[in-house]
């Protein structure tokens, strides 16, 4: 019995899975169309995918005690970069790659300012948030534009009903594996848990952190492109702080502490699912948007509390 | 991968044989530092420190806070370069370019903060930055690292309940032992220990002292320990060095000195310093 409990506690993501399942069952009972209809399932997947994708980047940074507040604005800017590159005559696939490189470059600037000038990432990326928002609004003149690409490419890049979710699932799987099973992942966690110690062990913690900012920027950019294809329009006011905070919330609910030192990508994915289930579930049973934020806030606080209690309990179990 | 006990025994005998002839002692100096000076702007942290570490011995460095012990340590590990002065390893003049370079020469340091990542397992910590990877990729071979970590801990006689445990959940002594195991596994020839017994209870300290003495007895390792506690240092070390205000003020065989004598020297130096300050 105690042993089963121990195994369960070792698996950090389990408590969030339980929450997700309980919520899903509740909403399924409250509204029979919640999960078992294709339309609502697709709807749910389209809420989860962008949150999970951006959360991947946030988790990697949060492990190192950093955060990327500008992710939502990278999300808004990148499709415009793609649009301008297409207008300049580049074929769509190249324009996508170019736009992603731009998103990665934003991440690189975030990383360099944070690491080299030792500005807290909260400040760096807060500045970048406003800067990019202004840039996107200026470039676009504040008006949405259309997306031009062949139907196949558009389908793959998000127009297909579950295309974005497939992207998210694949990237979550790859990132989860990499964080757990590669040198990069181990070093990211080590540098987050003990920055001085990790550099004393010879890990290049500064380079590592910069790379992780680039990853976060690129993922936010990809999310923006996928969303643009999905809704067939590039909106300068898309994304923003809302999607970024949802991603951070998903990471926290999934078990990544804001203080850093540890974290899980799969947990963030499940965290995104919890947020999605709450969002869709309450919409379907007819609760208004104000109440949703109330519940979301409560959910984050409760998740944080559980996280602290569980990790304290795990420590105690491991010692005895 | 690591030394067999037999090879260790042979190395010990060789060291003692070498020590028999007085003229051969210079050859057995594994590490020699000459006239090391380190300044940080207007502050002189080390003011002409010389030391020698013989093969297979334990050198204890004593001194108060600010005496320059940690600065000396950082120079010996290649963490930062000295302002002037020379280092000799195996008799050859060496400029340590980086921590990795010092490591390649067999110099390992266990820092006071132990450089352990609390949220990682024991075996990941032992292999931190020296991971066993599957060929061709940067993918961790966890099974091999686990197995090797168990073997390594067994070999140096350290009992840890589980190598899967997160290091943050272990006691201070266990954590120190893991940090030392990491250095041993890296095939250190020169092991630098920064306050290995700091903030440790008597039982924990005994475990670490036992481990240090066992490593010495195996004969493959020469150890420099930075210490605060005079009595413990005299117990473990072969030789001791007293550092005060960036200089070596006393050096002796551990057996031919005592705690009262060291205290007298420290007090005398301190009074001398005070007088000097007043007259200046």
């Amino acid at each position: 019995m105690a042993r089963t409990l121990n195994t369960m506690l070792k698996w950090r993501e389990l408590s969030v899975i339980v929450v997700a399942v309980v919520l899903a069952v509740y909403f399924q009972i409250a509204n029979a169309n919640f999960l078992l209809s294709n339309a609502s399932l697709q709807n749910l997947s389209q809420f989860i995918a962008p949150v999970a994708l951006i959360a991947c980047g946030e988790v990697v940074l949060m492990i190192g005690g950093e955060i990327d507040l500008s992710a939502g604005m990278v999300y808004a800017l990148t499709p415009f970069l793609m649009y301008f590159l297409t207008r300049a005559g580049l074929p769509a696939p190249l324009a996508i790659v170019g736009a992603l490189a731009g998103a990665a470059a934003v991440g690189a600037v975030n990383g360099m300012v944070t690491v080299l000038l030792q500005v807290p990432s909260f400040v760096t990326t807060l500045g970048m948030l406003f800067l990019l928002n202004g840039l996107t609004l200026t470039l676009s003149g504040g008006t949405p534009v259309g997306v031009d690409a062949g139907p196949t490419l558009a389908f793959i890049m998000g127009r297909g009903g579950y295309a974005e979710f497939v992207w998210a699932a694949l990237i979550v799987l790859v990132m989860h594996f990499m964080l757990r099973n590669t040198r990069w992942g181990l070093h990211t966690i080590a540098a987050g848990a003990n920055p001085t110690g990790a550099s004393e062990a010879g890990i290049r913690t500064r380079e590592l952190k910069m790379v992780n900012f680039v990853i976060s920027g690129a993922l936010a950019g990809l999310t923006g492109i996928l969303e643009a294809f999905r809704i067939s329009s590039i909106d300068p006011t898309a994304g923003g702080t809302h999607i970024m905070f949802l991603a951070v919330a998903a990471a926290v609910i999934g078990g990544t502490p804001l203080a850093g030192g540890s974290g899980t990508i799969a947990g963030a994915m499940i965290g995104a699912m919890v947020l999605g289930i709450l969002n869709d579930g309450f919409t379907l049973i007819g609760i208004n948007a104000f109440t949703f934020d109330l519940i979301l806030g409560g959910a984050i606080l409760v998740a944080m509390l559980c996280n602290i209690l569980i990790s304290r309990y795990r420590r105690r179990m491991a010692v005895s | 991968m690591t030394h067999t006990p037999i090879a260790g025994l042979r190395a010990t005998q060789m060291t003692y044989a070498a020590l028999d002839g007085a003229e051969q002692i210079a050859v057995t100096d594994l590490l020699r530092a000459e006239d090391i000076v380190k300044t940080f702007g207007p502050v002189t942290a080390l003011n002409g420190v010389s030391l020698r570490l013989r093969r297979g011995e334990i050198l204890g460095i004593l001194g108060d806070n600010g005496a320059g012990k940690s600065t000396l340590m950082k120079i010996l590990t290649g963490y930062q370069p000295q302002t002037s002065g020379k280092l000799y390893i195996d008799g050859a003049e060496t400029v340590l370019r980086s921590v990795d370079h010092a490591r390649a020469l067999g110099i390992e340091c266990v820092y006071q903060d132990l450089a352990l990542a609390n949220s990682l397992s024991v075996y990941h910590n032992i292999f931190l930055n020296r991971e066993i990877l599957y060929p061709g990729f940067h993918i961790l071979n966890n099974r091999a690292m686990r197995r090797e970590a168990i073997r390594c801990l067994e070999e140096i006689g350290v009992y840890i309940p589980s190598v899967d445990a997160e290091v943050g959940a272990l006691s201070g002594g266990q954590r120190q032992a893991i940090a030392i195991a990491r250095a041993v596994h890296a095939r250190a020839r020169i092991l630098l220990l920064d306050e290995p017994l700091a903030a440790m209870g008597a039982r924990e300290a005994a475990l670490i002292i036992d481990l240090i003495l066992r490593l010495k007895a195996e004969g493959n390792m020469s150890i420099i320990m930075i210490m605060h506690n005079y009595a413990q240092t005299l117990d473990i070390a072969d030789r001791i060095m007293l550092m005060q205000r960036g200089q070596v003020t006393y050096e002796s065989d551990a057996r031919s000195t005592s705690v009262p004598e060291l205290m007298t020297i420290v007090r005398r130096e301190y009074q001398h310093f005070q007088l000097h300050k007043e007259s200046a």
Side-chain angles (χ1 to χ4, degrees):
Chain A
M1 175 63 199
R3 207 166 145 200
T4 331
L5 198 69
N6 244 341
T7 326
M8 276 165 57
L9 285 169
K10 254 184 202 157
W11 200 19
R12 272 167 201 263
E13 293 85 3
L14 199 77
S15 51
V16 209
I17 293 180
V18 171
V19 172
V21 170
V22 167
L23 285 174
V25 169
Y26 168 73
F27 286 120
Q28 183 62 35
I29 293 167
N31 183 317
N33 286 329
F34 175 59
L35 275 179
L36 302 179
S37 89
N38 184 42
S40 108
L41 206 57
Q42 189 168 313
N43 207 27
L44 182 62
S45 83
Q46 287 167 355
F47 179 95
I48 294 169
V51 174
L53 275 170
I54 294 179
C56 284
E58 296 289 356
V59 165
V60 164
L61 286 175
M62 281 161 68
I63 289 171
E66 307 290 349
I67 197 163
D68 183 358
L69 299 178
S70 68
M73 295 305 172
V74 175
Y75 166 117
L77 173 67
T78 314
F80 277 103
L81 294 179
M82 177 182 75
Y83 171 75
F84 289 120
L85 287 172
T86 323
R87 287 282 297 271
L90 243 61
L94 278 183
I96 291 173
V97 173
L100 287 178
V106 172
V109 173
N110 278 337
M112 281 193 276
V113 173
T114 303
V115 172
L116 300 180
L117 303 180
Q118 298 186 341
V119 179
S121 57
F122 192 93
V123 178
T124 313
T125 59
L126 184 66
M128 189 58 88
L129 182 161
F130 287 112
L131 196 147
L132 291 185
N133 191 26
L135 185 67
T136 309
L137 289 172
T138 311
L139 283 177
S140 65
T143 43
V145 293
V147 187
D148 2 295
T152 320
L153 184 71
F155 183 87
I156 294 170
M157 292 306 293
R159 187 84 47 85
Y162 290 97
E164 199 181 356
F165 189 79
V166 171
W167 275 97
L170 282 177
I171 287 171
V172 162
L173 277 177
V174 169
M175 292 283 289
H176 186 75
F177 177 83
M178 281 179 50
L179 192 62
R180 285 283 178 87
N181 291 297
T182 67
R183 214 161 177 236
W184 163 79
L186 194 68
H187 287 186
T188 294
I189 296 172
N194 183 353
T196 325
S199 64
E200 281 166 353
I203 294 173
R204 293 160 179 260
T205 52
R206 288 148 53 97
E207 284 88 337
L208 194 64
K209 203 164 256 184
M210 284 196 265
V211 166
N212 292 345
F213 271 102
V214 171
I215 292 174
S216 172
L219 283 175
L222 176 66
T223 315
I225 288 178
L226 292 171
E227 282 283 285
F229 275 107
R230 181 174 71 81
I231 57 179
S232 307
S233 154
I234 304 175
D235 184 350
T237 58
T241 49
H242 186 66
I243 189 83
M244 179 272 298
F245 279 126
L246 280 177
V248 173
V252 171
I253 291 173
T256 302
L258 271 171
S262 63
T264 143
I265 300 270
M269 176 71 170
I270 304 160
M273 285 179 177
V274 168
L275 291 177
I277 292 169
L278 282 174
N279 186 50
D280 280 19
F282 282 121
T283 310
L284 283 175
I285 61 174
I287 279 181
N288 72 31
F290 301 157
T291 324
F292 172 65
D293 274 353
L294 201 71
I295 290 163
L296 175 63
I300 294 171
L301 288 176
V302 170
M304 283 283 250
L305 206 66
C306 287
N307 209 344
I308 292 167
L309 291 176
I310 288 175
S311 57
R312 204 174 285 168
Y313 185 70
R314 292 170 77 224
R315 288 269 149 86
R316 247 201 342 252
M317 292 298 283
V319 172
S320 62
Chain B
M1 194 80 195
T2 38
H3 317 279
T4 63
I6 295 167
L9 200 67
R10 203 181 303 135
T12 316
Q13 285 164 346
M14 273 162 59
T15 311
Y16 289 137
L19 279 172
D20 286 341
E23 74 278 10
Q24 277 179 293
I25 284 179
V27 183
T28 62
D29 279 350
L30 189 53
L31 174 76
R32 209 162 81 235
E34 265 175 23
D35 213 16
I36 300 289
V37 174
K38 178 72 186 177
T39 56
F40 297 97
V43 182
T44 304
L46 294 177
N47 191 6
V49 171
S50 298
L51 72 80
R52 48 198 287 207
L53 178 68
R54 297 184 191 126
R55 250 173 248 282
E57 81 169 349
I58 300 180
L59 171 66
I61 300 180
L62 288 162
D64 291 330
N65 293 328
K69 295 170 303 188
S70 296
T71 308
L72 179 63
M73 212 66 150
K74 282 177 183 154
I75 289 170
L76 296 179
T77 53
Y79 198 80
Q80 49 186 223
Q82 66 267 35
T83 310
S84 69
K86 286 173 178 170
L87 286 177
Y88 298 86
I89 293 165
D90 287 321
E93 191 182 337
T94 309
V95 178
L96 296 175
R97 290 186 304 268
S98 66
V99 175
D100 284 342
H101 180 213
R103 249 191 216 147
L105 295 167
I107 302 173
E108 287 286 330
C109 183
V110 176
Y111 292 92
Q112 213 173 340
D113 69 9
L114 304 178
L116 298 176
N118 281 343
S119 54
L120 293 179
S121 67
V122 170
Y123 69 89
H124 278 145
N125 268 289
I126 288 181
F127 282 92
L128 194 60
N129 207 26
R130 279 196 204 88
E131 297 83 3
I132 302 178
L133 303 171
Y134 285 110
F137 298 96
H138 277 194
I139 294 172
L140 306 172
N141 186 343
N142 286 323
R143 202 192 300 176
M145 286 192 278
R146 249 188 118 256
R147 196 180 336 112
E148 189 68 7
I150 292 170
R151 211 185 53 76
C152 169
L153 289 170
E154 243 169 41
E155 198 175 274
I156 63 170
V158 171
Y159 173 74
I160 305 285
S162 160
V163 289
D164 299 315
E166 280 182 23
V167 158
L170 302 177
S171 72
Q174 287 171 325
R175 289 159 50 81
Q176 184 78 43
I178 289 164
I180 294 176
R182 173 157 77 191
V184 173
H185 185 266
R187 306 239 236 160
R189 295 190 300 151
I190 301 170
L191 181 61
L192 308 175
L193 301 173
D194 190 359
E195 298 277 358
L197 306 177
M200 221 172 266
R203 236 187 70 197
E204 299 250 276
L207 178 110
I208 297 303
I209 291 173
D210 191 46
L211 172 58
I212 294 172
L213 291 177
R214 237 176 309 137
L215 290 175
K216 182 199 159 181
E218 273 191 22
N220 297 314
M221 209 171 278
S222 314
I223 299 169
I224 299 179
M225 290 189 309
I226 287 185
M227 297 281 284
H228 254 119
N229 186 316
Y230 291 14
Q232 277 174 335
T233 313
L234 290 180
D235 265 357
I236 316 164
D238 299 304
R239 274 189 315 125
I240 61 109
M241 240 173 72
L242 192 61
M243 280 184 73
Q244 287 171 297
R245 299 184 312 280
Q247 286 176 309
V248 178
T249 49
Y250 183 69
E251 212 180 328
S252 163
D253 209 75
R255 268 164 304 236
S256 51
T257 186
S258 64
V259 175
E261 189 185 0
L262 289 172
M263 296 299 262
T264 314
I265 295 165
V266 171
R267 214 173 299 124
R268 198 177 55 215
E269 277 292 318
Y270 180 71
Q271 281 163 355
H272 179 77
F273 179 60
Q274 287 295 342
L275 271 170
H276 188 73
K277 223 165 67 172
E278 277 159 27
S279 66

